[in-house]
Amino acid sequence: MPGLFRQSIALLRGLLITGRYLFRPPVTILYPEVKTRVAPRFKGRHWLTLYADGVERCVGCELCVIVCPSQAIYVRAAENTPERQISKGERHADQFQINMLRCIFCGFCEEACPTGSIVLGQDYELAGYSRASLIYTKPMLTEPYPGASGRDPGREV
Ligand code: SF4
Ligand code: SF4
């Protein structure tokens, strides 16, 4: 009899919890159809931004490489020439890679960048089926047009 009493109490408590949430908005969302809203300062996928005239902001200085605590960035710089002015500095990034498997999204690279080139956006869907697909290359990182990454204009350098 005490066992039956305890079971009844447990059942009632369970029903109470169900009743409490019956008329509240659902806690779950229909992901991936519905995306989670992130905080304005959320740090997600990186972008290499351009100036308004399409010139690359990155000058291949490698400060982001030096500051990265997880050694996720690889930059191979090359000289600009009068015929081939890729960036507004003396050099540009001939190769730029970020290993997303290593990145901890700390944002240090964004803070260190003297030209405001590298920014962390709000994209968080970064799953991949292979290691190679998660090493983002320069073409993958360079935005298709200025501001495509949602770059904060207040950070213009
Ligand atoms: S966010 Fe942090 S860990 Fe990721 S690439 Fe930038 S500095 Fe490295
Ligand atoms: S992204 Fe910025 S810090 Fe990194 S190499 Fe380019 S200019 Fe330098």
Side-chain angles (χ1 to χ4, degrees), residues 98-102 125-137 140:
I98 301 182
N99 186 336
M100 291 295 170
L101 292 166
R102 285 187 170 211
E125 292 172 313
L126 304 173
Y129 289 103
S130 67
R131 180 179 179 275
S133 71
L134 289 164
I135 297 176
Y136 285 22
T137 58
M140 294 162 76

Side-chain angles (χ1 to χ4, degrees), residues 29-35 125:
I29 58 163
L30 294 174
Y31 183 82
E33 287 80 14
V34 179
K35 308 286 187 218
E125 292 172 313

Side-chain angles (χ1 to χ4, degrees), residues 62-94:
E62 298 181 34
L63 280 176
C64 54
V65 178
I66 294 164
V67 82
C68 178
S70 50
Q71 299 179 343
I73 307 178
Y74 169 74
V75 175
R76 191 178 72 192
E79 298 285 330
N80 285 322
T81 60
E83 303 79 42
R84 201 160 172 264
Q85 196 72 27
I86 309 288
S87 74
K88 297 192 178 180
E90 290 178 5
R91 303 196 301 172
H92 66 276
D94 186 42

